[in-house]
Amino acid sequence: MSSSKAILLKEEGNRYFQAGDYVRAEAVYSKALIADPLNPTLYTNRAMARLRMQLWENVIADCEECLKLSPDSSMKAHYYLSQAHLALRHYDDAVEHARIAYDLCVQTLDKSLASVLAQVLKSKKERWDDLEKRRTRENSDLEAEMLSLMERERDEALRPDGDETMDEGSRREITEEWEKKMTTMCDVFNKARSADDKPRVVPEWAIDDISFGFMHDPVVTKTGKSYERASIMEHLRRQNMDPITRTPLYPSDLRPNLDLKQACDEFLQENGWAADW
Amino acid sequence: MAPGAQFAAKRLGKELTKISKGLPAGIVLVQGDNFEEWLLDIQVLDSNPLYMGQTYRLKFKFGSSYPIEPPEVVFVKLPDRPIPIHPHIYSNGIICLDLLGQQGWSPVQNVESVCMSLQSMLTGNTKNERPPGDEEFVRGNRLRPKDIDFYYHDNNV
């Protein structure tokens, strides 16, 4: 009884959602959940409306509730969790949930693979950007701290020792010595900074010939050519044909290219900016 | 923006970056300031008398499923941009090339490779003629180029 009422309410909510009225959709999904509080998809539907309303904490609560009710199956719950965590700058959680959603998509041949891949890359890229921002800030803090320590050392060395007064020659010598040390240190920091600014080039072997993006999960065809899994799957949905040789090709013919994946992962470790390239 | 449109825009953005670093001889990007429609000029560089000294204007239209779906590519007629004479090119600019059809398209093709294919399709042609039935086709056709089911009877032309 209550579950058929919930189904009607869910459909009503879906109609509001389709029409772009997320506030009404969310209210109706909430009513549906009162009627049927153990239905996991009602939670992900409400989370989807709450995502649009930018109620991040509520999205997380709904998705976690959904995963409690159906622990292994909800790709959507992980996908929405990733988006909410990313908005809240919980980068590790965002990457982790996007990864789980991605793996679920691969296992079930879900059509959302490309969108979920985009979320994986976006989370990775934002995590890297944040890390880099912090690294830059830490480095300039360290530089400033070192400089003031060196200045203190220099002043210490210049301070008159007891009654003896220092002659002008030694004063100049000490001052010049410390100036030189400080300049050298600043040069080292500057060199490190300009190394970060070096041109960002993605090697050809890491680029997918369909999306022209950086490969994250390369798969290889029968002819030995590798593509990003999401790209080639999108193509094979339209046409079961090898993009180059035009001979028959099916999703079951694809194999992960583990060595290439490892090379891509290694490149990404050093060049996190390339994640969403 | 539909999710598909993001992928199309990303890929076209990459193509644009590559194009800005240089295109093969005889291909020039005229307009590419959005991800829906680009204009390019092409020239045939050898001494084929049918096309010598001429410049042709191409219009590319990209759907949200590009590059999974082919772009729509036609020649555009302007005072100084004629429609090249060719047994696979109708006088309204519609091109009959398997590469651009639903069956012949491959997502590894791109704007540059399409332009190069068209260049070589012109270069290799010696027939000073339009496709059979050109007049009726130009008068009667209401289909979008990519929905026309061309019969690619002669791929050597």
Side-chain angles (χ1 to χ4, degrees):
Chain A
M1 224 19 229
S2 62
S3 99
S4 67
K5 187 185 166 198
I7 288 166
L8 287 176
L9 285 165
K10 180 183 161 189
E11 281 164 4
E12 191 188 342
N14 290 353
R15 277 195 298 276
Y16 281 127
F17 186 88
Q18 292 297 336
D21 190 343
Y22 307 123
V23 177
R24 279 224 177 80
E26 197 249 8
V28 176
Y29 290 137
S30 295
K31 265 196 220 164
L33 275 167
I34 293 169
D36 186 6
L38 297 177
N39 182 341
T41 57
L42 287 176
Y43 285 100
T44 39
N45 278 32
R46 188 168 70 178
M48 180 174 69
R50 288 175 161 183
L51 263 182
R52 300 302 178 97
M53 295 163 72
Q54 309 197 347
L55 300 169
W56 314 120
E57 303 284 0
N58 295 315
V59 172
I60 293 172
D62 277 349
C63 291
E64 281 172 353
E65 202 55 48
C66 165
L67 290 175
K68 253 186 244 163
L69 293 167
S70 82
D72 356 276
S73 60
S74 188
M75 185 281 287
K76 282 181 182 170
H78 289 290
Y79 182 40
Y80 299 153
L81 270 172
S82 173
Q83 293 175 55
H85 279 302
L86 191 59
L88 293 168
R89 300 182 191 192
H90 305 154
Y91 299 107
D92 288 338
D93 289 334
V95 171
E96 185 53 26
H97 284 291
R99 265 208 194 113
I100 298 172
Y102 182 86
D103 290 344
L104 288 169
C105 274
V106 170
Q107 282 164 28
T108 59
L109 302 179
D110 195 298
K111 280 188 195 158
S112 317
L113 188 64
S115 306
V116 176
L117 173 64
Q119 178 65 21
V120 172
L121 302 185
K122 193 173 169 219
S123 321
K124 280 190 177 177
K125 172 70 165 42
E126 289 189 21
R127 179 169 68 175
W128 167 270
D129 286 346
D130 175 66
L131 207 70
E132 201 167 47
K133 217 190 301 168
R134 270 188 296 162
R135 203 157 40 202
T136 312
R137 204 171 39 222
E138 275 166 19
N139 284 356
S140 29
D141 285 354
L142 179 65
E143 188 186 15
E145 199 181 326
M146 297 292 286
L147 264 181
S148 71
L149 281 174
M150 289 167 104
E151 278 165 8
R152 209 188 303 162
E153 278 297 312
R154 179 198 59 195
D155 295 347
E156 196 65 37
L158 289 172
R159 184 168 302 155
D161 196 11
D163 293 335
E164 277 177 55
T165 50
M166 205 178 281
D167 66 80
E168 240 351 87
S170 342
R171 284 188 71 89
R172 199 179 314 126
E173 211 171 282
I174 290 170
T175 311
E176 274 170 11
E177 188 192 332
W178 278 103
E179 286 298 324
K180 206 175 142 209
K181 279 187 191 169
M182 284 189 259
T183 314
T184 309
M185 191 201 64
C186 290
D187 279 351
V188 171
F189 273 96
N190 281 333
K191 245 181 226 155
R193 264 190 288 267
S194 61
D196 287 343
D197 292 340
K198 68 172 181 259
R200 297 182 157 184
V201 184
V202 177
E204 286 290 328
W205 52 259
I207 294 173
D208 166 43
D209 279 348
I210 296 177
S211 65
F212 285 16
F214 185 85
M215 281 194 276
H216 156 85
D217 181 15
V219 290
V220 62
T221 67
K222 287 185 284 185
T223 57
K225 172 85 187 150
S226 292
Y227 299 95
E228 176 68 53
R229 184 192 296 273
S231 302
I232 189 74
M233 287 299 285
E234 200 71 36
H235 164 69
L236 293 179
R237 237 195 300 286
R238 178 178 170 271
Q239 210 176 31
N240 283 307
M241 207 179 260
D242 185 288
I244 293 173
T245 62
R246 316 206 61 75
T247 51
L249 183 71
Y250 297 90
S252 56
D253 296 325
L254 303 173
R255 297 284 174 272
N257 186 339
L258 297 178
D259 288 341
L260 183 54
K261 181 171 164 51
Q262 193 185 345
C264 291
D265 285 347
E266 275 169 22
F267 181 83
L268 219 51
Q269 293 263 309
E270 300 294 317
N271 302 275
W273 49 266
D276 200 15
W277 184 82
Chain B
M1 208 191 274
Q6 281 173 31
F7 302 116
K10 205 169 165 186
R11 150 103 183 218
L12 285 166
K14 299 263 170 60
E15 285 196 47
L16 212 51
T17 313
K18 194 157 171 267
I19 284 173
S20 69
K21 288 176 193 152
L23 276 168
I27 305 174
V28 175
L29 179 71
V30 179
Q31 187 198 300
D33 49 15
N34 62 62
F35 295 138
E36 277 114 52
E37 196 176 291
W38 291 4
L39 299 173
L40 288 102
D41 276 349
I42 65 165
Q43 286 175 305
V44 176
L45 295 168
D46 66 6
S47 55
N48 188 333
L50 290 172
Y51 310 111
M52 218 167 64
Q54 291 289 353
T55 305
Y56 306 105
R57 172 70 46 92
L58 284 168
K59 184 169 79 180
F60 281 72
K61 277 171 93 169
F62 308 101
S64 61
S65 303
Y66 179 80
I68 300 301
E69 296 285 337
E72 184 180 300
V73 186
V74 293
F75 282 104
V76 182
K77 194 173 180 170
L78 294 168
D80 56 345
R81 298 281 185 271
I83 305 291
I85 188 95
H86 191 286
H88 285 173
I89 301 171
Y90 289 93
S91 50
N92 58 1
I94 288 182
I95 306 161
C96 170
L97 177 64
D98 62 345
L99 171 72
L100 294 172
Q102 297 287 356
Q103 289 309 307
W105 173 256
S106 158
V108 298
Q109 298 288 349
N110 54 65
V111 173
E112 183 182 316
S113 70
V114 168
C115 287
M116 287 170 74
S117 296
L118 288 169
Q119 270 182 322
S120 73
M121 168 175 156
L122 296 179
T123 304
N125 176 44
T126 51
K127 295 184 183 158
N128 188 9
E129 57 190 50
R130 292 285 173 206
D134 178 54
E135 267 182 50
E136 303 97 275
F137 175 81
V138 170
R139 211 178 319 119
N141 179 55
R142 295 286 172 270
L143 289 169
R144 293 177 303 166
K146 67 171 168 183
D147 294 332
I148 303 167
D149 200 7
F150 290 119
Y151 177 52
Y152 303 103
H153 50 283
D154 182 3
N155 288 315
N156 302 320
V157 179

